């Protein structure tokens, strides 16, 4: 049985969102039975290198706990940045 949690992201996914993002994913990975985390990029219009770094950290922590990770709803510039950063090597990219 799949136990999935989704983390909605803001229009600007950058350094200033670090504390909220970290709190959100740390709360989720503590939950019993979680085996998949989705990052909801449907609202994201901008992301910077710190956002990419946060995503790498989340992926590493999730991998240690055998939790899969995916991205859904990425579009426009955010999607281009994720592609350039090769995030498909870490995250399952879900097409909406």
């Amino acid at each position: 049985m799949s136990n999935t949690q989704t983390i909605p992201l803001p229009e600007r996914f950058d350094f200033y969102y670090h504390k909220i993002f970290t709190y959100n994913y740390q709360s989720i990975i503590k939950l019993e039975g979680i085996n998949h985390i989705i990052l909801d990029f449907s609202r994201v219009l901008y992301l910077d290198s710190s956002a990419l770094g946060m995503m790498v950290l989340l992926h590493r922590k999730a991998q240690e706990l055998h939790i899969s990770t995916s991205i859904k709803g990425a579009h426009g510039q955010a999607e281009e940045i994720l592609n350039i950063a090769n995030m498909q090597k870490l995250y399952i990219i879900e097409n909406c």
Side-chain angles (χ1 to χ4, degrees):
M1 183 171 140
S2 177
N3 195 349
T4 301
Q5 289 285 319
T6 299
I7 299 175
L9 299 172
E11 287 184 16
R12 288 187 63 86
F13 183 24
D14 58 17
F15 176 77
Y16 299 101
Y17 196 69
H18 180 266
K19 282 185 179 175
I20 297 169
F21 181 76
T22 302
Y23 174 81
N24 286 343
Y25 84 68
Q26 287 180 344
S27 298
I28 288 171
I29 63 176
K30 289 178 186 173
L31 296 173
E32 183 131 352
I34 292 297
N35 60 19
H36 188 72
I37 297 173
I38 300 169
L39 295 183
D40 182 355
F41 265 79
S42 59
R43 293 180 51 219
V44 178
L45 301 175
Y46 172 83
L47 71 150
D48 66 6
S49 60
S50 66
L52 297 172
M54 290 184 263
M55 291 174 66
V56 170
L57 286 176
L58 165 56
H59 173 74
R60 285 185 186 156
K61 293 214 184 284
Q63 197 173 35
E64 288 170 11
L65 299 169
H66 308 288
I67 299 170
S68 59
T69 53
S70 65
I71 294 168
K72 77 170 188 179
H75 60 280
Q77 184 182 15
E79 183 179 25
E80 289 177 31
I81 292 168
L82 293 171
N83 288 335
I84 291 167
N86 284 321
M87 281 295 164
Q88 71 276 7
K89 291 184 176 182
L90 302 181
Y91 285 82
I92 300 162
I93 307 296
E94 297 181 18
N95 294 322
C96 298

